């Protein structure tokens, strides 16, 4: 049995009037993340962590922001493709641990729904997906509400 870990990090600017996609759901807020896709920072870090764990490069390699087919794409579709790539190499996802850094809106009320949606796409139990949220105590671009950041670590197993 081969066990591998992966780590992901991503940031997106926040802009007024954009939809805010986070963890596969639309979170009500006045500002949303700016990006080529739907800019779901949580899904992006999970993709990067999974791809890294399997030594499959990164999200930008597989889904470049220069490719018009990914303009505005639902990041859940990107995550489903990453899962397919992992399965091709006989990897299974053991667990995911993630942290979202954001001043507003409050993320905690939305975590159970994010876990449910992500579990469905990933084909694992919601209990195997940890999502935490924190602020930066008003420090830096997150603290000034200019952006959102997220981190994820994953464990995958190859039989």
């Amino acid at each position: 049995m081969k066990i591998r870990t992966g780590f992901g990090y991503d940031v997106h600017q926040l802009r007024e009037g954009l939809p805010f996609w986070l963890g596969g759901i639309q979170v009500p807020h006045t500002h949303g993340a700016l990006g080529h896709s739907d800019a779901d920072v949580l899904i992006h870090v999970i993709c990067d962590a999974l791809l890294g764990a399997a030594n499959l490069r990164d999200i930008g390699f597989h889904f470049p922001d220069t490719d018009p087919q990914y303009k505005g794409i639902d990041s859940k579709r990107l995550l489903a493709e990453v899962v397919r790539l992992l399965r091709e190499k006989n990897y299974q996802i053991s667990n995911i641990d993630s942290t979202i850094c954001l001043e507003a809106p409050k993320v905690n009320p939305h975590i159970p729904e994010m876990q449910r949606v992500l579990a469905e796409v990933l084909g694992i139990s919601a209990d195997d997906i940890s999502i935490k949220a924190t602020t930066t105590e008003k420090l830096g671009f997150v603290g000034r509400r200019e952006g959102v950041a997220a981190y994820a670590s994953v464990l995958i197993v190859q039989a």
Side-chain angles (χ1 to χ4, degrees), residues 36-110:
H36 186 70
S37 66
D38 64 6
D40 189 323
V41 69
L42 182 58
I43 288 182
H44 293 179
V45 298
I46 292 170
C47 286
D48 261 348
L50 291 168
L51 289 166
N55 196 20
L56 291 170
R57 310 267 315 246
D58 62 24
I59 193 171
F61 176 80
H62 292 277
F63 316 108
D65 63 6
T66 55
D67 190 333
Q69 74 174 314
Y70 301 118
K71 179 71 176 157
I73 195 169
D74 181 337
S75 290
K76 291 186 294 292
R77 292 180 56 199
L78 306 180
L79 185 58
E81 176 62 13
V82 168
V83 170
R84 187 191 68 73
L85 291 169
L86 289 178
R87 287 186 181 141
E88 278 184 358
K89 291 186 79 172
N90 296 316
Y91 283 110
Q92 294 179 323
I93 302 165
S94 179
N95 74 296
I96 295 168
D97 183 28
S98 63
T99 301
I100 302 162
C101 301
L102 184 67
E103 292 293 324
K106 292 292 183 191
V107 173
N108 281 321
H110 305 286

Side-chain angles (χ1 to χ4, degrees), residues 137-156:
E137 302 296 329
K138 301 191 184 338
L139 297 173
F141 72 89
V142 171
R144 291 187 302 272
R145 299 182 180 206
E146 297 169 357
V148 56
Y151 304 84
S153 68
V154 301
L155 184 70
I156 62 173

